[in-house]
Amino acid sequence: MDKNKILIKFIVILLGFSNLSAQESAVDLLKRVNKNVLSLDNVYYKFEISSKFENNILPIRGEFYIKQESYLIDTNEIDQIYDGEKFYTIIHENKEVIISTENTSFFNFSPNQIFKFFLKGFDLKKQNISNDIYFIAAESIEEEEEIIYNLFINSNLSIEKIEMIEKETGEEINKFLTLTYDYNLNVPLSLFKFDINDYEDYLIVTEN
């Protein structure tokens, strides 16, 4: 199992504004969260990811800026810029920049990518665990899949937490938390522009 790729699938920060209906299905709920988060612009999120696996990246905290189709992920270890056409993944420890298309991106972080992941190929089950929190268990319909995802959604259609659980043992592998967020900010477009001059001592790798 490629733990890095599984971790990237797991990362998500998704916010919207609406009331929840106790009658709607898990699929309908996620579609509404998707619609609402895509309606937001100039958004800032702060997140934290932890894992049971020991490595030189996790636990990690970072910031995520979105403006229209562009976004920036900013952490101490790895950054990524998406300018609407290409992804620029900056790995600071290796002093390496990977320039790639959406299909070959190391990070798949945008709301569209996340919802496509959960809304295709998963059996989704929703439970109301309190007046303010809904819980969705997402289990792959592929028998060989070893992971179950638990999504916790509040009454503002905010996915506050996602747990990645090992199916066989029930053990938590990774956990994502939304620490804070803001929206309707004055986010400059220059934040999402990659400048190769800022990385003169980095190895530049271009993937087709």
Side-chain angles (χ1 to χ4, degrees), residues 88-100:
Y88 303 87
T89 304
I90 301 112
I91 305 171
H92 296 296
E93 182 180 9
N94 299 341
K95 289 195 171 183
E96 182 179 39
V97 177
I98 301 173
I99 303 174
S100 62

Side-chain angles (χ1 to χ4, degrees), residues 12-93:
V12 61
I13 303 175
L14 302 165
L15 293 167
F17 299 91
S18 182
N19 293 321
L20 299 180
S21 167
Q23 303 301 318
E24 68 183 339
S25 69
V27 171
D28 291 337
L29 176 56
L30 283 185
K31 285 182 177 179
R32 286 216 291 141
V33 176
N34 184 30
K35 180 179 179 180
N36 284 305
V37 72
L38 292 178
S39 71
L40 298 176
D41 199 6
N42 297 328
V43 185
Y44 165 83
Y45 306 100
K46 191 171 185 178
F47 65 90
E48 179 180 82
I49 303 167
S50 58
S51 175
K52 77 167 189 176
F53 298 116
E54 293 185 3
N55 56 57
N56 59 350
I57 295 180
L58 298 175
I60 188 172
R61 287 192 176 197
E63 298 174 308
F64 182 32
Y65 298 85
I66 306 174
K67 186 179 182 69
Q68 299 174 356
E69 294 298 318
S70 302
Y71 67 77
L72 166 67
I73 303 167
D74 184 6
T75 77
N76 289 332
E77 293 80 10
I78 300 175
D79 300 337
Q80 186 175 75
I81 300 169
Y82 178 59
D83 62 7
E85 296 182 0
K86 292 183 179 181
F87 295 85
Y88 303 87
T89 304
I90 301 112
I91 305 171
H92 296 296
E93 182 180 9

Side-chain angles (χ1 to χ4, degrees), residues 63-206:
E63 298 174 308
F64 182 32
Y65 298 85
I66 306 174
K67 186 179 182 69
Q68 299 174 356
E69 294 298 318
S70 302
Y71 67 77
L72 166 67
I73 303 167
D74 184 6
T75 77
N76 289 332
E77 293 80 10
I78 300 175
D79 300 337
Q80 186 175 75
I81 300 169
Y82 178 59
D83 62 7
E85 296 182 0
K86 292 183 179 181
F87 295 85
Y88 303 87
T89 304
I90 301 112
I91 305 171
H92 296 296
E93 182 180 9
N94 299 341
K95 289 195 171 183
E96 182 179 39
V97 177
I98 301 173
I99 303 174
S100 62
T101 65
E102 182 176 353
N103 291 333
T104 59
S105 170
F106 180 72
F107 276 113
N108 292 310
F109 205 92
S110 73
N112 259 337
Q113 292 164 330
I114 292 297
F115 282 112
K116 285 179 181 179
F117 174 68
F118 281 116
L119 290 173
K120 182 178 181 180
F122 279 87
D123 179 23
L124 303 176
K125 296 179 180 178
K126 186 186 75 169
Q127 300 177 19
N128 182 202
I129 60 177
S130 75
N131 291 333
D132 299 321
I133 300 293
Y134 276 73
F135 165 79
I136 292 178
E139 183 172 353
S140 174
I141 60 176
E142 299 179 6
E143 293 184 1
E144 65 272 17
E145 180 62 58
E146 303 173 356
I147 302 298
I148 296 174
Y149 298 87
N150 294 332
L151 292 78
F152 296 83
I153 302 171
N154 66 22
S155 59
N156 290 325
L157 286 182
S158 166
I159 297 183
E160 294 185 339
K161 178 172 67 172
I162 298 180
E163 300 170 336
M164 181 186 290
I165 306 296
E166 190 171 31
K167 184 187 296 185
E168 184 176 350
T169 65
E171 186 176 6
E172 179 186 283
I173 300 174
N174 297 313
K175 180 170 65 178
F176 162 86
L177 289 173
T178 299
L179 301 177
T180 186
Y181 75 96
D182 205 348
Y183 58 97
N184 290 334
L185 303 175
N186 183 19
V187 180
L189 281 173
S190 58
L191 194 65
F192 311 101
K193 300 298 183 183
F194 175 76
D195 187 348
I196 197 171
N197 294 320
D198 293 336
Y199 305 95
E200 292 181 352
D201 57 343
Y202 280 55
L203 174 66
I204 308 297
V205 179
T206 302

